[in-house]
């Protein structure tokens, strides 16, 4: 809950800074207080698990988002968010795309082997196709972001990058699970949680420094 709260409040504060310069002070203050509470809860949990003071302190960094938004020119903030969004999805594309090279195992196939008792020929074909889908998802995200930034109002681009980013990612994950259950009915035994944990392990091992969180 604390992690989800930190992500949501940080995204909302960024969106308000970009799209609604005259946002109500009470709303901003309430979001900032909730953000700080979630960050503090995560930092305490990290220290209790032996994460150390440094790791706990890093979890408080999102609390600097709103003060930074007030101090940084809007164009610089847009450039920073654009770069971060682009790097994230280039990394996602590389993570899946490189596994499709000759002689390598498609990433979704490798994840399926961690959670499935056995892989049938249909499952091997399906997981390779899903690896292609995730490979193309990153360029699609970057292309839509660039088009919105060039052609749409800034608030629309901010809505896409800040508020819809994670829901779209979750929708892709859930949609793939639903298609897999239908396409591989009677063959796939992995649960949604199994798939999530396998994907999370692969992303944490392959994400660029600074984005693994």
């Amino acid at each position: 809950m604390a992690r989800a709260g930190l992500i949501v409040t940080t995204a909302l504060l960024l969106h308000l800074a970009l799209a609604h310069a005259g946002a109500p002070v009470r709303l901003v203050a309430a979001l900032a207080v909730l953000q700080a509470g979630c960050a503090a809860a995560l930092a305490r949990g990290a220290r209790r698990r032996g994460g150390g003071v440094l790791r706990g302190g890093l979890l408080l960094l999102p609390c600097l988002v709103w003060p930074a938004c007030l101090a940084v020119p809007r164009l610089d903030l847009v450039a920073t968010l654009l770069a971060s969004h682009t790097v994230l999805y280039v990394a996602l594309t590389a993570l899946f795309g490189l596994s499709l090279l000759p002689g390598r195992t498609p990433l979704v196939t490798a994840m399926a082997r961690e959670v499935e008792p056995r892989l049938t020929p249909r499952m091997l074909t399906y997981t390779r196709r899903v690896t292609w889908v995730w490979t193309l998802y990153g360029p699609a995200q970057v292309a839509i972001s660039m088009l919105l930034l060039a052609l749409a109002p800034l608030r629309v681009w901010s809505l896409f990058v800040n508020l819809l980013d994670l829901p779209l990612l979750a929708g892709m994950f859930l949609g793939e699970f639903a298609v897999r259950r239908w396409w591989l009915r009677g063959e796939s035994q992995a649960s949604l949680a199994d798939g999530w944990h396998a994907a999370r392990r692969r992303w944490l091992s392959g994400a660029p420094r600074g984005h693994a969180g």
Side-chain angles (χ1 to χ4, degrees), residues 43-193:
R44 285 196 300 271
R47 288 197 299 271
R48 283 198 300 269
R49 292 191 297 271
V53 176
L54 178 60
R55 184 176 178 185
L58 289 175
L59 290 167
L60 299 174
L61 286 180
C63 298
L64 301 177
V65 165
W66 184 250
C69 290
L70 296 178
V72 175
R74 181 174 290 190
L75 286 179
D76 290 348
L77 183 60
V78 169
T80 301
L81 286 172
L82 178 62
S84 178
H85 185 264
T86 301
V87 167
L88 178 66
Y89 282 104
V90 167
L92 185 73
T93 299
L95 191 64
F96 285 90
L98 291 176
S99 72
L100 290 166
L101 293 175
R104 298 192 178 185
T105 301
L107 185 57
V108 178
T109 304
M111 290 190 290
R113 283 177 174 158
E114 296 179 13
V115 297
E116 296 283 4
R118 58 182 293 272
L119 294 184
T120 65
R122 273 171 57 85
M123 293 169 75
L124 290 172
T125 301
Y126 175 81
T127 53
R128 183 176 183 83
R129 289 175 178 173
V130 173
T131 304
W132 269 110
V133 170
W134 280 109
T135 299
L136 297 174
Y137 180 75
Q141 275 277 340
V142 174
I144 293 171
S145 171
M146 295 290 189
L147 285 172
L148 289 177
L149 187 59
L151 303 176
L154 186 59
R155 66 178 180 276
V156 176
W157 176 79
S158 176
L159 179 69
F160 177 75
V161 170
N162 288 315
L163 301 186
L164 295 182
D165 188 35
L166 286 178
L168 287 173
L169 200 61
M172 278 284 292
F173 191 80
L174 293 171
E176 186 278 318
F177 178 75
V179 171
R180 186 194 336 148
R181 283 298 194 187
W182 172 74
W183 189 262
L184 299 175
R185 51 190 179 276
E187 295 182 56
S188 177
Q189 304 298 320
S191 67
L192 185 60

Side-chain angles (χ1 to χ4, degrees), residues 12-55:
L12 285 170
L13 286 169
L14 281 169
H15 180 64
L16 289 174
L18 280 174
H20 302 281
V25 175
R26 289 183 179 179
L27 174 60
V28 172
L31 288 171
V33 169
L34 180 57
Q35 179 197 50
C38 293
L42 288 172
R44 285 196 300 271
R47 288 197 299 271
R48 283 198 300 269
R49 292 191 297 271
V53 176
L54 178 60
R55 184 176 178 185

